[in-house]
Amino acid sequence: MTEEIDNFDRKIIHHLQLNGRLANQQLAELVGLSTSQCSRRRINLEQKKIITGYYAQIALDADPTPIMGIIEVKLQNYNDATHDRFVEFLLHEPAVKDIHKLTGSYDFVLKVAVKSLDEMVKLIGTLSSSNFGVSNLNTSIVLEKLKENGIAIK
């Protein structure tokens, strides 16, 4: 972040991370500001892309893509063309939910979600294709979500 945020902004961010549906009046009470001040700060945090979005956390049994996997990827020849082609694919692949670029043994870790194990096999096959120069994949299937985005799943 290029611009400092103060304690009120940190409190706003904290409470919205716990509950993104908070109305400005509720949020203002939790933070200790007037509703109008809180609303202005919230809008400012959104405009500065400090708050980048809101989403709904879905119960696993209601998720249309219930098979979740973590895929670690090592690229064979790490060059700009290979990297860019691979990242471009990941950014547009609906099954890929999160992408993290890493240091260490693997170059990327992906959180993916699909409807079936067959779809997972197809995705792994696509990732393994020679188009992306992948030298190694390590795939784990998630058995149970215990905590997501800092919130325990009950």
Side-chain angles (χ1 to χ4, degrees), residues 1-66:
M1 284 179 255
T2 57
E3 198 170 312
E4 268 306 303
I5 59 174
D6 64 16
N7 285 333
F8 286 116
D9 291 336
R10 284 185 192 86
K11 288 179 184 177
I12 289 170
I13 291 167
H14 170 75
H15 287 292
L16 287 174
Q17 284 178 309
L18 296 175
N19 181 359
R21 296 183 66 194
L22 285 172
N24 282 326
Q25 184 175 352
Q26 295 170 303
L27 185 58
E29 290 171 10
L30 290 168
V31 172
L33 290 171
S34 70
T35 303
S36 61
Q37 285 177 317
C38 187
S39 178
R40 278 193 298 276
R41 283 176 175 267
R42 181 185 205 163
I43 290 167
N44 188 42
L45 290 167
E46 292 168 351
Q47 289 174 341
K48 290 181 179 178
K49 304 289 185 210
I50 293 170
I51 296 175
T52 58
Y54 302 88
Y55 78 101
Q57 194 167 346
I58 308 297
L60 193 56
D61 58 356
D63 193 337
T65 54

Side-chain angles (χ1 to χ4, degrees), residues 89-101:
F89 169 78
L90 296 177
L91 292 173
H92 293 94
E93 171 55 50
V96 177
K97 303 305 179 191
D98 295 326
I99 307 166
H100 299 278
K101 197 170 179 179

Side-chain angles (χ1 to χ4, degrees), residues 109-127:
V109 66
L110 315 174
K111 180 175 130 183
V112 300
V114 293
K115 292 179 186 174
S116 67
L117 289 176
D118 285 343
E119 281 188 25
M120 184 69 76
V121 170
K122 287 178 188 171
L123 178 61
I124 292 167
T126 302
L127 292 171

Side-chain angles (χ1 to χ4, degrees), residues 70-110:
I70 304 298
I71 303 176
E72 296 168 301
V73 181
K74 176 76 175 164
L75 297 181
Q76 186 172 22
N77 296 318
Y78 200 91
N79 61 49
D80 289 343
T82 302
H83 172 272
D84 293 349
R85 190 170 49 250
F86 184 66
V87 170
E88 188 67 21
F89 169 78
L90 296 177
L91 292 173
H92 293 94
E93 171 55 50
V96 177
K97 303 305 179 191
D98 295 326
I99 307 166
H100 299 278
K101 197 170 179 179
L102 306 174
T103 63
S105 299
Y106 288 91
D107 297 313
F108 296 90
V109 66
L110 315 174

